[in-house]
Amino acid sequence: MKKITLIFTLFIYGFSFGQDSKAKTLLDEVSIKAKSYDNISIDFKYVLDNSSENIKQETRGDVVMQGDKYRLNILGATRIFDGKTLYSISPDDEEVTISSDVSNEDSNITPSKMLSFYEEGYTYKMDIIQDVKGRKIQYVKLIPIDSNSEIKNVLLGIDAQTKHIYNLIEIGKNGTKTTLTVNSFKTNEPISKSLFTFDKNKYKDYYINKLD
């Protein structure tokens, strides 16, 4: 689950250590556009592949974001962040983990950062352009400044017309390739006022694990 939230934070923020002015301009356009929406709803496909270890995992998920708040559903679990407290709900374990200290979560990459993660920690440059079902996808290659990072590089695919994220491909130094592809990107949808609120009455039989 932490791996997925790490990918997500890579999916929404930015960097101030750029070397390629064209790449920086494009990334800034993506970030500005994402921040202009009242809310964003994304359905996505997540694939983790490491052929040397014979590991391949595919799953689908969805996330709704509004400012710093988000509700993420993936791998049968739900994560709700109301802006102050993070609730991780696991039906399989019948457990809810509650934490108000999300500093570690923030450093790992969270959905609330998913569209503008490039502001610090990476150098970046323009990469290839691909035609995907008639859409021009411009890739930007991101390389961690920290030489001890477990990430070798990240390819961020951006729809050249809409300036929306199409996909993100992370290559790990251990050979693991993680791909997150957006199937549906909707903005300013009508959402329930309680979407980012944890209702404890729905989980009376769950074990409540408060970390702080």
Side-chain angles (χ1 to χ4, degrees):
M1 197 68 171
K2 279 191 175 182
K3 175 68 174 176
I4 293 173
T5 51
L6 173 66
I7 288 294
F8 262 115
T9 310
L10 279 175
F11 193 62
I12 296 187
Y13 272 73
F15 323 56
S16 55
F17 300 101
Q19 298 166 332
D20 186 325
S21 60
K22 288 184 178 180
K24 184 180 188 306
T25 297
L26 180 58
L27 290 169
D28 285 346
E29 288 176 340
V30 171
S31 179
I32 290 169
K33 190 154 191 180
K35 291 175 182 178
S36 73
Y37 299 126
D38 179 61
N39 61 67
I40 297 173
S41 301
I42 295 173
D43 291 330
F44 61 89
K45 180 180 179 180
Y46 174 88
V47 179
L48 185 149
D49 191 2
N50 187 319
S51 56
S52 63
E53 299 291 335
N54 197 28
I55 297 173
K56 186 163 185 177
Q57 179 185 34
E58 294 188 19
T59 189
R60 290 181 179 272
D62 61 82
V63 61
V64 179
M65 297 167 285
Q66 185 175 54
D68 290 334
K69 301 176 183 180
Y70 66 83
R71 186 183 188 100
L72 170 67
N73 298 302
I74 192 166
L75 296 173
T78 299
R79 294 164 79 85
I80 301 172
F81 182 60
D82 62 11
K84 294 182 179 179
T85 304
L86 177 66
Y87 302 88
S88 299
I89 305 164
S90 175
D92 288 345
D93 300 323
E94 294 191 341
E95 179 178 356
V96 177
T97 301
I98 303 174
S99 176
S100 58
D101 180 9
V102 294
S103 57
N104 182 58
E105 187 78 8
D106 287 341
S107 66
N108 280 343
I109 297 193
T110 62
S112 55
K113 295 178 181 178
M114 199 188 338
L115 300 175
S116 45
F117 76 94
Y118 61 93
E119 286 169 0
E120 58 183 55
Y122 294 82
T123 60
Y124 46 92
K125 61 183 179 180
M126 298 291 267
D127 206 87
I128 64 172
I129 297 178
Q130 285 189 341
D131 189 305
V132 179
K133 298 179 180 179
R135 300 166 65 189
K136 296 294 183 184
I137 305 300
Q138 171 68 63
Y139 283 90
V140 176
K141 189 173 186 177
L142 316 172
I143 301 173
I145 293 173
D146 183 2
S147 60
N148 294 319
S149 173
E150 295 179 359
I151 300 172
K152 183 179 179 181
N153 60 65
V154 176
L155 283 171
L156 189 65
I158 299 165
D159 187 310
Q161 180 177 359
T162 65
K163 300 302 188 292
H164 290 167
I165 303 293
Y166 167 69
N167 68 349
L168 180 147
I169 304 168
E170 179 194 286
I171 306 298
K173 290 181 178 178
N174 64 354
T176 299
K177 178 180 178 181
T178 309
T179 305
L180 188 150
T181 303
V182 174
N183 294 323
S184 172
F185 189 108
K186 298 179 180 179
T187 61
N188 300 336
E189 293 279 286
I191 58 176
S192 169
K193 292 182 179 179
S194 62
L195 184 65
F196 308 110
T197 301
F198 174 72
D199 185 354
K200 63 181 180 181
N201 292 321
K202 293 182 179 179
Y203 305 98
K204 292 180 179 179
D205 297 330
Y206 279 46
Y207 172 70
I208 305 299
N209 181 21
K210 294 186 177 181
L211 298 183
D212 45 52

